[in-house]
Structures are given as C-alpha cells and as structure tokens.
Amino acid sequence: MKIAGLVKQSFIDYPDKMACVIFTQGCNFRCGYCHNPSLVLPKLFAQNQLISEEEILKYLNTRRGWLEGVVITGGEPTIHGDLPDFIQKIKQLGYAVKLDSNGSNPEMLEKLLADRLLDFIAMDIKSNPDAESYSQIIGKDATRLIPNIWRSIKLIQNSGIGYQFRTTIIPHIHPIGITDDIIRFLNYDNNFVRQEYRDGDTVAKNLGK
C-alpha cells in the first residue's frame, strides 16, 4: 500500500467511533475542489513521506483498547490492488474499518464486501450520475465510468453494513436543486449528506485553474 498520511486520532471521520485515519496516495479523479492535492497529483507526491504498512500496524497494535476504528481514505484507496490484504491485517487486530471511496471500482468494493472486510462505507457522489455532469466535476471523460458509479451505489445500499453517500456542493458549478436530484436518484435514501465547499489548497489551484 502507498500510504502517505496518518491522523492518529479522530472523533469526526468514523460515525460514533474514535478512529485513526489512513491516507492512501493516488487517485483516478481530478476533482478541482479536492483538498488533498498532494495525494492526487503525481507532481506533488514528493511532498509526502510514505509510511510503511509495518509502521501503521505497529501503531494500531499499541492503540488496541483505545481506538475503535480505522478509516482508509485518500486519494482513492480502491485503486490499490493490495487493499484487501492490508485491511485483513487491520481486522486481525480487532478494528472496525471504514472505507472512503469515489465508487469508481465496484469490483474492489464487491470483493471487500464479500470477504467481510468493511464495517462502514462512505461514497462521494460527485453530481448527478450521468456522464456530462460527472465529467464536469472529475476532470475527465466519465462516459465509461457512470455504470460503475451506479453499480457501486447499489452494492453499498444492499451491503447490510453502515454507509453514507455525500456530495460536496460547488458554487457556480452544481445547479440549483442538485441535492434533491441526487436524493431522488438514490430513491430517497436517508444516508445522504450534503457537504459545503471550502476554499483552500485545492487540486484546481495546483493545476492553475
């Protein structure tokens, strides 16, 4: 695993659990509003000192009985083929695992769910799940991606574990009423959270946009 960051203790990233947060390096999207450009843009990867799995697992072993969960976020964790093996090692230490994902890799989600490696999933829904809307947000052609987004949503809704869908609303990009549109698409799923855009060091600024 390419691990580029660790928050050793968080009360806000895993609902109702005190957790640590692991940040993986690399992402297949280029969302302009993303606040983790050093995890997304290869030209900025040198800003991060990678952390070994051994170091992470050693820390988690010392915090058993204190921490309750582990959040794996990014970047996009599901682009890493060794993610299931890494999570398995975390689960063996007795931790609940929450995954943050953009939903682009339903095959990986399906494997993680089938192997019972996840206890909670948070999926970012970037916009209305159609190619034009998604392409505007993620900085690439989303035509072939949209079926994966639909499939991931259904996998998560039928997973039997805790989950959350969330959308960051970007002024002057998302149309008025986007939240209602997404909620309707999700068949009025109660596990939806609207997030407000925050200015800062974003991917767009590092790309000169």
Side-chain angles (χ1 to χ4, degrees), residues 1 3-4 49-58 86:
M1 288 292 296
I3 301 168
Q49 183 175 353
L50 294 181
I51 306 170
S52 69
E53 285 189 20
E54 290 74 18
E55 184 176 345
I56 295 290
L57 295 171
K58 181 179 179 180
F86 180 54

Side-chain angles (χ1 to χ4, degrees), residues 32-35 168-171 195-200 202 204-205:
Y33 64 88
C34 177
H35 281 77
T168 299
I169 304 302
I170 309 169
Q195 299 182 146
E196 300 301 326
Y197 170 76
R198 294 181 296 106
D199 196 14
T202 63
K205 290 182 179 179

Side-chain angles (χ1 to χ4, degrees), residues 11 17 33 42 55-56 71 73 77 89 149 159 173 182 207 209:
F11 294 95
K17 292 188 186 297
Y33 64 88
E55 184 176 345
I56 295 290
V71 178
T73 188
K89 294 172 186 176
I149 300 300
S159 66
I173 294 181
I182 293 173
L207 291 175
K209 297 181 180 180

Side-chain angles (χ1 to χ4, degrees), residues 25-32 34 36-48 75 201-209:
Q25 185 181 76
C27 188
N28 54 341
F29 288 3
R30 294 294 181 269
C31 305
C34 177
N36 293 324
S38 67
L39 300 176
V40 172
L41 302 175
K43 69 176 184 178
L44 301 180
F45 284 176
Q47 295 180 10
N48 303 312
D201 183 24
T202 63
V203 164
K205 290 182 179 179
N206 281 275
L207 291 175
K209 297 181 180 180

